[in-house]
Amino acid sequence: MSEMAAPDVLGQAELRCRIIDTALTLGTERGWDGFHLHDLAARLDIGLADIARHFAGKDAIAEAWFGHADAALLAAADTPGWQFLSPRERLQRAILSWLDALAPHRQLAAEMLRYKLQPEHLHLQVQGALRVSRTVQWIREAALLPATGWRREGEEAALTAIYLTTFACWLRDDSPGASRSLSLLDRLLARAEWLAGWLGAAPASNSGSGTDSGG
């Protein structure tokens, strides 16, 4: 019985990916607010129930796409030698990996955010805040930041501000290679490092090489 179920599982996973990809295509063609889920079902030649089996609504599809960006930043942490980079370099590469994953549909990402911010979509705004918090947590984990307690809370607040400021700039950045956003991110990380040194502490596994350990 399990052997018969496996192809169906694979088929559902493939359908989920097709739903996301086709939604992005329709969003590019008509705007994210300009198409309906019944348009998506017609394009895929499936029923609305098939979509509902995977996604609770249009915003859930958007969340799944942002989830792909989270996966991209986590994959960056598997780069050989990652642990030997400075915390600042790891943070920068993790955030850029997240942005790069969204780059093929950057304008659509902005439209998804505007869709969330419509007055009648308060529940989506709550979900958006949770999405930001989740992504920031993954960035911290990927960057191997070791802080706990109040120091961790301070890092999270600072990193959230850096992440959101960079993302907002990137959404409307028409400079070659989004160079303006990259420069902004570099400045923000440098400023945070200079002001508080919150990026300066390496993970415990890399410590012990300093000259002041004797007191």
Side-chain angles (χ1 to χ4, degrees):
M1 187 172 182
S2 60
E3 293 180 358
M4 294 177 62
D8 184 61
V9 171
L10 291 175
Q12 291 301 314
E14 180 183 357
L15 177 58
R16 179 181 172 86
C17 291
R18 288 176 58 212
I19 290 172
I20 296 172
D21 290 342
T22 306
L24 294 175
T25 298
L26 285 171
T28 300
E29 293 174 357
R30 309 180 189 182
W32 189 251
D33 196 30
F35 80 94
H36 302 280
L37 292 180
H38 61 78
D39 299 320
L40 178 58
R43 179 68 65 90
L44 287 167
D45 194 23
I46 60 176
L48 285 171
D50 295 308
I51 295 176
R53 195 171 293 117
H54 294 279
F55 300 103
K58 185 190 291 188
D59 192 68
I61 299 175
E63 285 296 307
W65 184 53
F66 283 114
H68 287 327
D70 286 351
L73 78 85
L74 294 175
D78 292 331
T79 303
W82 180 263
Q83 71 273 24
F84 300 115
L85 299 173
S86 69
R88 176 174 162 186
E89 289 174 318
R90 290 193 293 264
L91 281 169
Q92 186 174 49
R93 295 190 185 191
I95 293 173
L96 291 180
S97 295
W98 191 86
L99 294 174
D100 286 344
L102 300 179
H105 298 282
R106 183 175 60 176
Q107 181 178 343
L108 198 56
E111 293 182 19
M112 289 175 177
L113 295 178
R114 285 195 293 269
Y115 181 82
K116 284 179 179 289
L117 293 175
Q118 291 176 5
E120 69 274 20
H121 290 164
L122 290 177
H123 62 296
L124 301 185
Q125 294 162 30
V126 173
Q127 293 173 10
L130 294 175
R131 150 65 56 193
V132 169
S133 177
R134 185 162 58 248
T135 297
V136 168
Q137 292 299 327
W138 283 130
I139 292 171
R140 289 192 73 258
E141 292 295 337
L144 308 179
L145 298 184
T148 59
W150 66 267
R151 185 177 177 86
R152 174 185 55 78
E153 295 173 3
E155 285 184 355
E156 289 178 5
L159 184 55
T160 299
I162 291 171
Y163 159 69
L164 290 177
T165 301
T166 303
F167 187 30
C169 176
W170 178 84
L171 286 171
R172 57 183 187 277
D173 188 355
D174 58 359
S175 62
S179 58
R180 188 165 72 245
S181 300
L182 274 74
S183 296
L184 173 63
L185 175 59
D186 188 60
R187 292 197 305 272
L188 291 173
L189 290 174
R191 186 179 304 167
E193 190 174 41
W194 179 76
L195 286 175
W198 65 283
L199 300 181
S205 60
N206 294 338
S207 61
S209 58
T211 58
D212 58 347
S213 60

